[in-house]
Amino acid sequence: MKKIYLVLTHTGTTLSTIIKCYTKDEFSHISIALDEELNELYSFGRLHANNPFIGGFVHEGIYFGTFKRFKNTQTEIYSLEIDNNKYEDISNEINAFKNNKEKYKFNIIGLFAVSINKKIHYKDTFYCAEFVKYLFEKAKIENKLPDIIKPQDFKDLKNINLVYKGKLKDYNKNKIVKYEVAY
């Protein structure tokens, strides 16, 4: 068995605040990590920290890019134990995205369609929560996620464990503050 990590965040940017406003949720973004240190952290979001209008598949990090720029980013980090084959499937899918990242676009229309409870999806486009759900589907990870997906929906997964809550920049500094709470 191996663990994956779901990283829910809110940066406080204008766009994230708008998303938070219409979802009424605490967090506006989700990323998936293949390691506890969050070195292998991926999502769909800003391609450049200073430009919220150009997005796509991104390798994120606590100390670079968007999260470096927005130092007060709030987070909840969850772990989910999955079997080795499913972990390998997710890893392979992420590698396919890395190898073809120019083909994928940010689904800005689909993101805003969530505000009117509609699903709009175009080929090879994703917003953050769609991407993570897509990985779950490809790896056949059992879930009861809704069709119109938001980052907060992942908190309802069976056997998910909260491992950290606080400022993202402090995650690796304060391992003592970690939680292990089953939901």
Side-chain angles (χ1 to χ4, degrees):
M1 298 293 274
K2 291 193 174 192
K3 288 183 181 178
I4 57 172
Y5 296 85
L6 301 176
V7 181
L8 286 96
T9 53
H10 178 69
T11 58
T13 64
T14 302
L15 180 59
S16 70
T17 301
I18 290 169
I19 293 166
K20 190 174 172 176
C21 216
Y22 71 71
T23 62
K24 310 275 191 278
D25 292 336
E26 184 177 2
F27 298 99
S28 52
H29 184 67
I30 188 168
S31 312
I32 188 169
L34 300 175
D35 63 315
E36 184 179 16
E37 295 76 28
L38 309 184
N39 294 319
E40 296 295 319
L41 182 65
Y42 301 97
S43 191
F44 268 70
R46 295 174 183 225
L47 291 175
H48 308 287
N50 295 326
N51 187 339
F53 301 107
I54 300 174
F57 175 74
V58 289
H59 176 203
E60 298 176 313
I62 297 173
Y63 307 111
F64 63 87
T66 300
F67 295 136
K68 178 183 178 187
R69 180 162 184 243
F70 299 99
K71 294 176 179 19
N72 290 320
T73 297
Q74 294 297 308
T75 190
E76 282 183 5
I77 300 171
Y78 294 85
S79 68
L80 181 66
E81 198 168 57
I82 59 176
D83 72 44
N84 292 351
N85 290 335
K86 291 177 191 222
Y87 182 92
E88 207 53 44
D89 289 344
I90 287 177
S91 180
N92 290 339
E93 282 298 322
I94 288 172
N95 284 330
F97 275 86
K98 286 197 283 195
N99 292 333
N100 298 292
K101 62 183 171 188
E102 66 285 339
K103 115 178 189 179
Y104 298 103
K105 305 295 180 225
F106 190 80
N107 186 7
I108 192 78
I109 295 169
L111 176 65
F112 284 105
V114 172
S115 69
I116 57 171
N117 205 32
K118 298 282 182 206
K119 180 176 176 156
I120 298 176
H121 183 79
Y122 301 100
K123 184 179 186 217
D124 298 329
T125 67
F126 297 89
Y127 60 86
C128 61
E130 281 181 319
F131 169 67
V132 176
K133 182 179 178 187
Y134 172 84
L135 293 175
F136 274 54
E137 289 169 352
K138 289 303 244 182
K140 296 179 177 61
I141 295 173
E142 183 183 333
N143 67 77
K144 293 183 179 168
L145 294 167
D147 201 34
I148 301 169
I149 189 78
K150 303 179 296 182
Q152 203 87 2
D153 295 329
F154 289 88
K155 290 172 77 168
D156 296 329
L157 288 170
K158 184 178 176 188
N159 299 322
I160 194 164
N161 293 299
L162 177 65
V163 294
Y164 176 79
K165 181 175 181 160
K167 286 188 179 179
L168 182 60
K169 72 177 182 176
D170 295 335
Y171 170 64
N172 283 324
K173 294 178 190 171
N174 296 327
K175 291 291 186 179
I176 295 169
V177 181
K178 288 176 66 173
Y179 299 92
E180 276 295 338
V181 180
Y183 280 79

